[in-house]
Amino acid sequence: MLALDEKVRTLLLLKSENFDGQMDEVFSRFQAAYLDVKAHKQVFMASSDSDSFFHFLPKAERITGLMEVIVLENLEGDIVEATQKIAESYQADLPPGALYCSQGAWEATKDLEYFFPHLDALPVERTLALIKPDGLARGKIDGKTLEETIE
């Protein structure tokens, strides 16, 4: 079992026009493979952004336009391998440039940082204390000054 901070995640991009109205089916395939959808959003990627992000892919395989961006997590096994199996099952029916899956742990980290930079940001807890002006001059309460209590 992995430690809590060792989240095994990957990123999957699907061209929206090829999956119009089928996202529930796509998500159910992930759940059947024990993959948890941690985040999902739609993004429009212009061709210039696509050229920058997918610089290592042939131009025909780069996704442009409206796309579904999905973060998948699995603590039980190899997430990239499981996601690639699902992606391969779709690719036979899809044109080039309709689907992208991170190919390894390093690529997944880079891809997640690009699309979801604050995915693991911890919420910040804050406490607000309102002190009346005469509170500091009041002296000790229960044997402690206000400054000692705050520290």
Side-chain angles (χ1 to χ4, degrees):
M1 190 58 137
L2 297 172
L4 290 177
D5 59 340
E6 296 180 55
K7 295 181 175 81
V8 183
R9 294 181 175 153
T10 192
L11 187 100
L12 188 68
L13 302 175
L14 307 171
K15 188 144 180 152
S16 294
E17 66 189 37
N18 296 313
F19 294 91
D20 192 30
Q22 299 175 359
M23 289 313 295
D24 290 336
E25 178 200 332
V26 172
F27 289 157
S28 65
R29 276 195 186 185
F30 296 145
Q31 290 170 346
Y34 302 105
L35 301 175
D36 191 21
V37 176
K38 283 312 217 185
H40 170 240
K41 67 180 178 180
Q42 280 191 329
V43 173
F44 182 86
M45 188 172 270
S47 60
S48 60
D49 295 330
S50 179
D51 290 343
S52 173
F53 183 76
F54 297 113
H55 62 87
F56 54 91
L57 290 175
K59 199 133 179 105
E61 294 180 22
R62 298 177 185 173
I63 302 176
T64 57
L66 190 62
M67 67 179 76
E68 306 288 332
V69 184
I70 304 166
V71 177
L72 298 172
E73 183 176 292
N74 180 12
L75 295 177
E76 299 298 319
D78 188 358
I79 182 83
V80 176
E81 181 182 319
T83 307
Q84 285 177 348
K85 284 181 184 176
I86 293 173
E88 287 169 5
S89 70
Y90 278 116
Q91 278 188 321
D93 303 327
L94 296 174
L99 183 140
Y100 167 79
C101 178
S102 299
Q103 299 296 310
W106 183 85
E107 277 188 22
T109 302
K110 175 186 68 79
D111 297 347
L112 290 167
E113 185 64 31
Y114 184 85
F115 287 102
F116 293 95
H118 305 293
L119 187 63
D120 287 328
L122 296 174
V124 177
E125 291 185 23
R126 295 189 173 126
T127 302
L128 174 65
L130 298 175
I131 302 169
K132 292 183 179 180
D134 64 341
L136 293 174
R138 191 167 179 190
K140 292 187 178 188
I141 301 173
D142 295 329
K144 291 184 177 181
T145 64
L146 185 60
E147 290 150 337
E148 293 172 340
T149 304
I150 292 173
E151 292 176 356

